[in-house]
Every structure is written in C-alpha cells, then in structure tokens.
Amino acid sequence: MSQNPSAQSLHVHDEERGLQETLRYPLFDALRNRRTRRVAKGIQSIPAGSLSYTSKHEPEPLTALEEALLIASTGITGVTLPDQPFLTEDGKPLVGSPMVDVIGRTAGSPDNAQATSFFLINDSGTYFLRRPQGGDALMLAGGQLTAARLIAYAEKCKVKVSDKRVEFPRQYPYYMGRNRYMSNVPGSTILVPVVDLTRQYINGIMFLLTQDAGHRPTFIDDWNFYRVAGVQKWVRNGFLNKDQKIPLGVLGTARIPYEADFLMQNIFLVAEAMGLGAWIHAAFIGPVLLGDPEYRNAGNSLGFRYHTPRNLVRQALKFISPLPSWRPNPVGLDGLMQGYCPPYYGSMDEAVDALIAHKYGPNGLYTNPKDFEQVFKPGLAQKFVSEVPHYSEEVIACAKDVCNYIYDTYDRFPAHADAMFVPGVWIQMHHLDLDYYDQLFSNGYSETQARHEELWHGRR
C-alpha cells in the first residue's frame, strides 16, 4: 500500500528505535539465538493433527526499512586488501593479480569474484538487486547507518523484473513436501541467490595455469573419453605437465557458489538481530526458477535467456552424457546478469579478452591505482599496480584453448555446470506469528522476536 510522504516519514521514525537496537545487537547473541522459525503471520493452515494451527492475523509484509537492512547485509563494505606475495623465492613472477574485483563484500568470495546476485521476492513483485555505482556502492563502508540512508541504498539496488512473485504450482517438483504450506507465502520476503559462474570459471582456469613450470596441469575431458581438452600443443611444447592431469569434471562449479552460502548466513543473523522469522530452505530448482523452456509455461519464472546446444552428436548420445552437458544453458538475464560466453560475446576468445581488459585494460583493476589508494599508505598503490605480475600471454592463450574446446565440443560454457548456477536454496524472512509459538512451545522465540512489534512498529 502506498503512503503519503508525511506518513512514511512518521513510520520510518517509529522504526529508528528498532534499527538502533539491531545495530547494537551482539554477534554472539545472534549466533546463539539463531533458529529456523517458519510460521509467519497470516499463514493459512498448518495441518498437524492435534497441533494444527491457523493464524488469526493478516499477513504483514516487511517494511521498506526492514527489507533495506536485509539487502544491506549482502552489500559492499570497502576495498579488499591485496596482502599476498607476487614473487617466488628466487624472484620470478608469481601471479599476484588473481582477484576479479577490488571491492569487498560482507562475505568472502573465491578470488573476490563477487559472482552472486540476489533476487528479492515480496508481495509487490520480484526484483533484481544490482550493485549501486560510484559512491553509493560504498554506503556501508562509512558513515552512520540511518533509516533514510538504508532505504535510499536499497532503492538504488532494486530493479523490478516482475509485478508478481516467482510462483509455481504448490506440488513437486516445484515445492518440496511440507514447504508448500509455509514457503513463499503472502507477507514474506525472500532473497534467492543466482551465481554467474562464467567469469570466475575463466579466471580460475588462468589461475591454475600460473603454477610453477613443471606443475601446470593438463586439462582433460572426463565426459569425452578423457581426451586432452584442446591443449595438445601446450603439452607438446612443455608448458603443461602431461603427467599432472586435471579433469574438467573435477572443476564442477569451481567453488564459486560458496559465497552465496556465506551471504545467506549473514542475512539470517541480521534477521535474528531484527527479531524477524527466518528460514533457509529448498528453492525452486534452477531450470524452474530461471525459466528453462521445459518449465517456462508452468508458472512465473525469472525469465533468463537460454541457449540450447545444437550439437546433434551430443543430443544423440544424451543417454550416456552426464547432465547438464546437453541441456539448455541459462546464460543470463539481458542487461542485468550476462555471462562471459556467447551470445553476449561473439566467441570464447572475446569473453576471455573482456576479462583481461577488466583486469589489465587502461582503467583495469590492476592498472588504475585509484581503488587501491583507499587501503594502501600514500604512494604504495601506484607501486603495487606497477609491479604486480599480470597473466602471461601463454597463460591467456592456453586458457582460450581450454574455453574454446569446451564451447566447441558442447556448444555451451561451461559444460560441466550451468553458466548461471542456482544453489537450490533461498532464505525467507517474515513477521512471526508469536501466538503459534506461545501455544505450542516453551521459549519458542528469542527476546528480539518478543520485542519486535514494540521496537520496530511501536506496538505492544
């Protein structure tokens, strides 16, 4: 429901007390009191025999400030510290520029790839949460966290992609068992992660190729009779060690989605500090959530672009080909999440070149000292970007051969995982129905939940 400016200002003022209490809440209390509490105000029915329950309350959506604080818990917190060696013991270059981004987030990320994006789902629709640009991106890094700043930050993050919740029939394979009664219900807010594997997948291949001479692995394809994966010439010239093999299947998702798990734990702890109910549980599977052609007409998906492999041999051999090698590949959401692969690039060579430009181009991460000047003492940032080694021409060329092999063989990139990966869980936040917990449990909620109405909404 829309509010006039004066009413909204009054409501934000009422919530300031809750915000300040949340910001002062001890971390170890959040860890100790964190529990999954699933029952939201307004829930229609929990059929459980003599323990059945139907809420007497109306659904109560989260306020703009409540959502803003949850969004901020996934945000940018400053510049990372490049506190790593970049020379070997005998003074030879040791790649010191593996990071894909300079900006740090509230959770760790492999090579600081920042590959996880969130979609927010609530009663008003579904939103992509983008990273604000310029000074807005660093809102969390300094200054007082006021209600007005948090709400303004969240609004700059949100891009509406649908006027409705992402929703599908409340049965398998969309909802798992009991979840259909309590998941994605009116009044709830959900944050669901989607991970772009492509950029860090390329970066990870190059990082593996920077190992010391004699220790650079030979990529083989364990899904294609263990053939050498496009790097024959690099084995012949001795750049790669033919006896040290790494199957492409071992890479899997290349550890990239771990970041999403860390971020969801952050969200959960913030929800506990706020006094909200929170619940990490099974989301829609990737093909359903993103809008695979097979499921697109079954409900309201995120509507990602899919590329269907045209390799007829793979299609014919799909009964012996592991998934997802022959399946349509979610490559991006136009203008919001676009993979480092075709069709967003004309070839895998172009995709690799784009990553190299991002890192080492005229305004690249390791060319312009501007960002690093925020963490280095005066004069040292320029020395760092001048001295830190870049990926060598051999590393870049070899990585292109691996990436082209994958795309030429499978007509998708990656082959052994989807370009846009869905971890398979989401986190739901809601206002708890305390009557349910009072009726059935001893100490069913913490002090923050007991006082949430008072602190955040001025109600006792």
Side-chain angles (χ1 to χ4, degrees), residues 254-266:
R255 305 174 184 167
I256 303 167
Y258 293 167
E259 173 194 5
D261 300 332
F262 302 150
L263 287 165
M264 282 192 287
Q265 174 71 350
N266 285 354

Side-chain angles (χ1 to χ4, degrees), residues 30 90 95 118 164 283 305:
D90 54 359
V95 67
F118 279 93
K164 300 182 291 185
R305 178 190 290 268

Side-chain angles (χ1 to χ4, degrees), residues 182-364:
M182 296 178 288
S183 181
N184 200 19
V185 293
S188 67
T189 291
I190 287 176
L191 286 168
V192 55
V194 178
V195 184
D196 176 0
L197 298 185
T198 57
R199 187 168 70 162
Q200 175 57 12
Y201 199 94
I202 295 169
N203 188 61
I205 289 172
M206 289 192 283
F207 185 68
L208 284 169
L209 294 172
T210 63
Q211 307 311 303
D212 295 335
H215 296 278
R216 301 185 194 103
T218 296
F219 290 88
I220 60 173
D221 187 355
D222 47 321
W223 287 5
N224 194 21
F225 305 103
Y226 290 88
R227 293 173 176 170
V228 173
V231 293
Q232 292 87 341
K233 76 174 184 180
W234 301 100
V235 174
R236 288 195 298 269
N237 68 18
F239 183 74
L240 301 181
N241 183 345
K242 64 180 177 62
D243 297 319
Q244 195 156 12
K245 298 179 175 65
I246 181 168
L248 291 173
V250 168
L251 292 180
T253 56
R255 305 174 184 167
I256 303 167
Y258 293 167
E259 173 194 5
D261 300 332
F262 302 150
L263 287 165
M264 282 192 287
Q265 174 71 350
N266 285 354
I267 298 167
F268 207 137
L269 294 176
V270 170
E272 175 59 41
M274 294 170 67
L276 297 171
W279 177 27
I280 295 176
H281 60 288
F284 301 130
I285 60 173
V288 170
L289 179 70
L290 301 186
D292 181 288
E294 184 175 334
Y295 296 99
R296 187 160 291 169
N297 295 326
N300 185 40
S301 72
L302 292 177
F304 272 60
R305 178 190 290 268
Y306 272 75
H307 170 72
T308 300
R310 294 157 294 189
N311 189 315
L312 297 179
V313 174
R314 288 285 149 199
Q315 290 291 327
L317 296 176
K318 66 183 182 181
F319 63 94
I320 61 170
S321 298
L323 290 171
S325 63
W326 51 271
R327 289 281 300 161
N329 188 22
V331 293
L333 187 60
D334 293 355
L336 298 176
M337 290 184 75
Q338 297 185 169
Y340 274 60
C341 60
Y344 297 111
Y345 293 92
S347 66
M348 288 310 301
D349 280 358
E350 289 185 18
V352 175
D353 287 340
L355 177 57
I356 295 302
H358 171 74
K359 291 165 74 81
Y360 308 132
N363 289 304

Side-chain angles (χ1 to χ4, degrees), residues 130-181:
R130 64 184 171 191
R131 187 168 87 184
Q133 299 301 307
D136 293 328
L138 297 175
M139 188 275 295
L140 293 176
Q144 185 179 4
L145 293 181
T146 64
R149 287 187 74 209
L150 285 163
I151 291 172
Y153 172 82
E155 286 305 310
K156 289 174 180 176
C157 293
K158 292 166 66 176
V159 180
K160 181 172 272 193
V161 296
S162 174
D163 291 328
K164 300 182 291 185
R165 285 180 177 268
V166 172
E167 182 62 299
F168 287 86
R170 291 190 170 256
Q171 61 190 33
Y172 184 84
Y174 309 108
Y175 285 91
M176 298 287 193
R178 296 173 292 185
N179 291 358
R180 69 179 183 266
Y181 293 96

Side-chain angles (χ1 to χ4, degrees), residues 28 49 82 114 122 168 204 290 317 324 341 353 384-385 431 439 443:
F28 271 83
Q114 305 295 341
N122 63 22
F168 287 86
L290 301 186
L317 296 176
C341 60
D353 287 340
F384 172 71
V385 297
H431 288 111
Q439 177 176 312
N443 304 314

